[in-house]
Amino acid sequence: MLRKGPAKRVTIFINEDTQHHMTPLHDSIMTFLMHKGVAGATATRAYSGFGGHQMLHTHKIEVLTQHLPLRIEFVETPEKVEELLPTLYEMVTDGLIEVQDTTVVKLTRRSDEPEPMPAHEHKEGPAKLLRVFMGEADKWHEEPLYDAIVKQLRMMDIAGATVYRGILGYGAKGHEHKRSVFHPMRDLPIMISVIDAPEKITEAAEAIERMLEDGLIVTSEVEMVRLVRGRTPAETSDVTGKPR
């Protein structure tokens, strides 16, 4: 089953009118992939194109419309792709199959059935507190730095982060930052607070340091005691069925 991490992207190029056992080849391929439990596949029809036969297929010429190229694409685990390729190789007698290495960075599934809310659980143990100090006007690739940092933390599966906006402060340069009637848009201080496992905080601090030009990163050892909602079955395991 597809999961986060290394994967393979398979792209199949065929003509729309190609047949397979008296059935359109693209229908046969999509049915085969669905029955084999592929996470998902998409077939798209091209506007125009040509292939090894060196004949241009275009919607502008009615007789050539039915020969327009189709593109079927899906992403799966390397093991699954290795299982599927022999059959796809046999099915595609006139076309092209391309396989590329890729990485799945996010995979979510929405269930139609509402899951019962699990009971809360008590968690405690050693953790690490990370605090990042910066100015509200600081940027990262034309967006607010604090916003970019929170997005980065989410991608790293950090448990949570909170952004605090100050009303008064000064930093290493000695400049006072404050909001007033006369200066409503001054560069107010921003602090991001994060608590997670020590190894994850170390990783997060390294990522933030590469983004921070003028600011301060502080870490400290803490004892974490928190009450959290128990995870649902879908949250408890990733798409491979392995416990998180």
Side-chain angles (χ1 to χ4, degrees):
M1 188 176 289
L2 189 60
R3 57 186 178 272
K4 288 180 61 176
K8 296 283 187 181
R9 183 175 65 203
V10 180
T11 308
I12 305 170
F13 300 90
I14 57 175
N15 285 337
E16 187 175 8
D17 61 334
T18 304
Q19 299 289 305
H20 179 262
H21 298 320
M22 307 302 293
T23 302
L25 177 57
H26 56 89
D27 282 346
S28 297
I29 291 175
M30 296 293 280
T31 301
F32 168 70
L33 296 177
M34 185 173 61
H35 287 170
K36 282 295 184 177
V38 171
T42 303
T44 55
R45 189 188 195 204
Y47 183 81
S48 65
F50 69 92
H53 301 296
Q54 296 299 303
M55 178 180 293
L56 180 65
H57 304 295
T58 172
H59 76 290
K60 296 179 181 179
I61 303 176
E62 186 175 352
V63 70
L64 295 178
T65 301
Q66 60 180 335
H67 302 295
L68 281 172
L70 287 178
R71 172 191 177 115
I72 299 175
E73 187 173 64
F74 66 92
V75 176
E76 260 296 350
T77 63
E79 300 81 12
K80 190 69 173 180
V81 170
E82 184 177 357
E83 173 192 343
L84 299 172
L85 273 181
T87 301
L88 293 174
Y89 186 88
E90 292 296 326
M91 296 174 72
V92 180
T93 57
D94 184 11
L96 175 68
I97 300 177
E98 179 186 27
V99 180
Q100 292 181 325
D101 292 328
T102 188
T103 302
V104 176
V105 297
K106 184 176 183 180
L107 177 66
T108 57
R109 286 193 176 93
R110 189 186 320 182
S111 175
D112 295 331
E113 295 294 331
E115 298 186 24
M117 295 296 291
H120 285 69
E121 57 180 311
H122 183 270
K123 287 187 175 183
E124 61 179 282
K128 208 166 186 178
L129 168 64
L130 168 69
R131 284 173 290 183
V132 186
F133 299 86
M134 70 197 75
E136 185 178 14
D138 293 346
K139 300 288 185 180
W140 172 257
H141 294 168
E142 305 304 322
E143 71 172 318
L145 177 60
Y146 61 87
D147 198 11
I149 289 176
V150 171
K151 291 178 182 177
Q152 179 65 33
L153 294 173
R154 291 193 66 181
M155 287 187 63
M156 298 173 69
D157 289 329
I158 297 298
T162 303
V163 178
Y164 297 91
R165 188 173 189 236
I167 59 173
L168 178 65
Y170 71 92
K173 297 179 181 178
H175 297 160
E176 183 180 72
H177 304 285
K178 66 178 180 179
R179 178 178 293 275
S180 68
V181 176
F182 302 103
H183 301 284
M185 300 303 294
R186 296 293 292 271
D187 185 14
L188 292 173
I190 293 288
M191 184 190 77
I192 301 177
S193 177
V194 185
I195 298 178
D196 210 316
E199 62 274 9
K200 298 194 72 173
I201 289 297
T202 299
E203 182 183 356
E206 292 174 354
I208 293 173
E209 186 176 359
R210 293 191 290 267
M211 304 170 68
L212 195 65
E213 291 186 2
D214 185 11
L216 179 67
I217 299 176
V218 179
T219 61
S220 55
E221 306 293 334
V222 296
E223 188 72 16
M224 179 180 65
V225 180
R226 63 174 180 162
L227 189 67
V228 296
R229 176 180 63 83
R231 293 180 181 273
T232 64
E235 296 171 329
T236 304
S237 60
D238 61 18
V239 290
T240 65
K242 297 177 182 179
R244 285 182 177 175

